[in-house]
Coordinates of all heavy atoms in Angstrom, one line a residue:
H23 N 83.0 100.9 93.6 CA 82.3 101.0 92.3 C 81.6 99.7 92.0 O 82.0 98.6 92.5 CB 83.3 101.3 91.2 CG 82.7 101.6 89.9 ND1 82.5 100.6 89.0 CD2 82.1 102.7 89.4 CE1 81.9 101.1 87.9 NE2 81.6 102.3 88.1
N24 N 80.6 99.8 91.2 CA 79.8 98.6 90.8 C 80.6 97.5 90.1 O 80.1 96.4 89.9 CB 78.6 99.0 89.9 CG 77.6 99.8 90.6 OD1 77.3 99.5 91.8 ND2 77.0 100.7 89.9
Y25 N 81.8 97.7 89.7 CA 82.7 96.7 89.1 C 83.6 96.0 90.1 O 84.4 95.2 89.7 CB 83.6 97.3 88.0 CG 82.8 97.9 86.8 CD1 83.5 98.9 86.0 CD2 81.6 97.5 86.4 CE1 82.8 99.4 84.9 CE2 80.9 98.0 85.3 CZ 81.6 99.0 84.5 OH 81.0 99.5 83.4
G38 N 78.2 102.2 94.0 CA 77.4 102.9 92.9 C 78.2 103.1 91.7 O 79.3 102.6 91.5
D39 N 77.6 103.9 90.8 CA 78.3 104.3 89.5 C 79.1 105.5 89.8 O 79.2 106.1 90.9 CB 77.3 104.4 88.4 CG 76.4 105.6 88.5 OD1 76.5 106.4 89.5 OD2 75.5 105.8 87.6
S40 N 79.8 106.0 88.7 CA 80.8 107.1 88.9 C 80.1 108.3 89.4 O 80.7 109.1 90.2 CB 81.5 107.3 87.6 OG 82.1 106.2 87.1
L41 N 78.9 108.6 88.9 CA 78.3 109.9 89.3 C 77.8 109.8 90.8 O 78.1 110.6 91.6 CB 77.1 110.2 88.4 CG 76.4 111.5 88.7 CD1 77.3 112.7 88.5 CD2 75.1 111.7 87.9
V60 N 89.3 102.7 91.0 CA 90.6 103.0 90.3 C 91.0 104.4 90.6 O 90.2 105.3 91.1 CB 90.5 102.7 88.8 CG1 90.3 101.2 88.6 CG2 89.4 103.5 88.1
F62 N 91.4 107.3 89.0 CA 90.7 108.6 88.7 C 89.5 108.8 89.7 O 89.1 109.9 89.9 CB 90.2 108.6 87.2 CG 89.0 107.8 86.9 CD1 87.7 108.2 87.1 CD2 89.1 106.5 86.3 CE1 86.6 107.5 86.8 CE2 88.0 105.8 86.0 CZ 86.8 106.2 86.2
M63 N 89.0 107.7 90.2 CA 87.8 107.8 91.1 C 88.3 108.4 92.5 O 87.7 109.3 93.0 CB 87.2 106.5 91.3 CG 86.6 105.9 90.1 SD 85.8 104.3 90.3 CE 85.0 104.2 88.7
C85 N 93.3 103.3 85.3 CA 92.3 103.1 84.2 C 93.0 103.4 82.9 O 93.4 104.5 82.6 CB 91.1 104.1 84.4 SG 90.0 104.1 82.9
Y111 N 85.1 113.1 80.0 CA 84.6 111.9 80.7 C 85.3 111.9 82.0 O 86.5 112.1 82.1 CB 84.8 110.7 79.9 CG 84.1 109.4 80.3 CD1 82.9 109.5 81.1 CD2 84.5 108.2 79.9 CE1 82.3 108.3 81.5 CE2 83.9 107.0 80.3 CZ 82.8 107.1 81.1 OH 82.1 105.9 81.4
N113 N 86.4 109.6 83.6 CA 87.5 108.6 83.5 C 88.7 109.3 82.8 O 89.0 109.1 81.6 CB 87.1 107.4 82.6 CG 85.9 106.6 83.1 OD1 85.0 107.2 83.7 ND2 85.9 105.3 82.9
T127 N 79.7 111.9 83.3 CA 79.9 110.5 83.5 C 79.0 109.9 82.4 O 78.2 110.6 81.7 CB 79.4 110.0 84.9 OG1 78.0 110.1 84.9 CG2 80.0 110.7 86.0
S128 N 78.9 108.5 82.3 CA 78.1 107.9 81.3 C 76.6 108.2 81.6 O 75.8 108.1 80.7 CB 78.4 106.5 81.1 OG 78.3 105.8 82.4
S129 N 76.3 108.5 82.9 CA 74.9 108.7 83.2 C 74.4 110.1 82.9 O 73.2 110.3 82.8 CB 74.5 108.3 84.6 OG 75.4 108.9 85.5
H174 N 85.7 97.1 77.8 CA 84.4 97.0 77.1 C 84.6 96.6 75.6 O 83.7 96.0 75.0 CB 83.7 98.4 77.2 CG 83.0 98.5 78.5 ND1 83.6 99.0 79.7 CD2 81.7 98.3 78.9 CE1 82.8 99.0 80.7 NE2 81.6 98.6 80.2
H197 N 76.6 99.1 78.1 CA 77.2 100.3 78.5 C 77.6 101.1 77.3 O 78.1 100.6 76.3 CB 78.4 100.0 79.4 CG 78.8 101.2 80.3 ND1 79.6 102.2 79.8 CD2 78.6 101.5 81.6 CE1 79.8 103.0 80.7 NE2 79.2 102.7 81.8
E199 N 80.2 102.6 76.8 CA 81.6 102.4 76.4 C 81.8 101.3 75.5 O 83.0 101.0 75.0 CB 82.4 102.1 77.7 CG 82.7 103.3 78.6 CD 83.4 103.0 79.9 OE1 84.1 101.9 79.9 OE2 83.4 103.8 80.8
L212 N 73.0 102.2 79.0 CA 72.9 102.7 80.3 C 74.2 102.7 81.1 O 75.0 101.8 80.9 CB 71.8 101.9 81.1 CG 70.4 101.8 80.5 CD1 69.7 100.6 81.2 CD2 69.7 103.1 80.6
S213 N 74.4 103.6 82.0 CA 75.5 103.5 83.0 C 75.2 102.3 83.9 O 74.1 101.8 83.9 CB 75.6 104.8 83.8 OG 74.6 104.8 84.8
T214 N 76.2 102.0 84.7 CA 76.0 100.8 85.6 C 74.8 101.1 86.6 O 74.0 100.3 86.9 CB 77.3 100.5 86.4 OG1 77.7 101.6 87.2 CG2 78.4 100.1 85.4
G215 N 74.8 102.4 87.1 CA 73.7 102.7 88.1 C 72.4 102.7 87.4 O 71.4 102.2 88.0
M262 N 90.0 97.0 88.3 CA 89.0 97.0 89.3 C 89.1 95.8 90.3 O 88.6 95.9 91.4 CB 87.6 96.9 88.6 CG 87.2 98.3 88.0 SD 86.6 99.4 89.3 CE 86.2 100.8 88.3
Ligands
LIG1 P1 79.7 104.0 85.4 O1 79.6 103.2 86.6 O2 79.5 105.5 85.7 O3 78.7 103.5 84.4 O4 81.2 103.9 84.8 C1 81.7 102.9 84.1 C2 83.2 102.7 84.2 O5 83.8 102.2 83.3 C3 83.9 103.1 85.4 O6 85.2 102.8 85.2

Side-chain angles (χ1 to χ4, degrees):
H23 186 265
N24 290 325
Y25 294 159
D39 68 1
S40 305
L41 185 61
V60 294
F62 78 81
M63 296 181 170
C85 168
Y111 191 23
N113 300 35
T127 71
S128 52
S129 51
H174 282 85
H197 197 279
E199 286 178 19
L212 304 166
S213 78
T214 61
M262 283 284 180

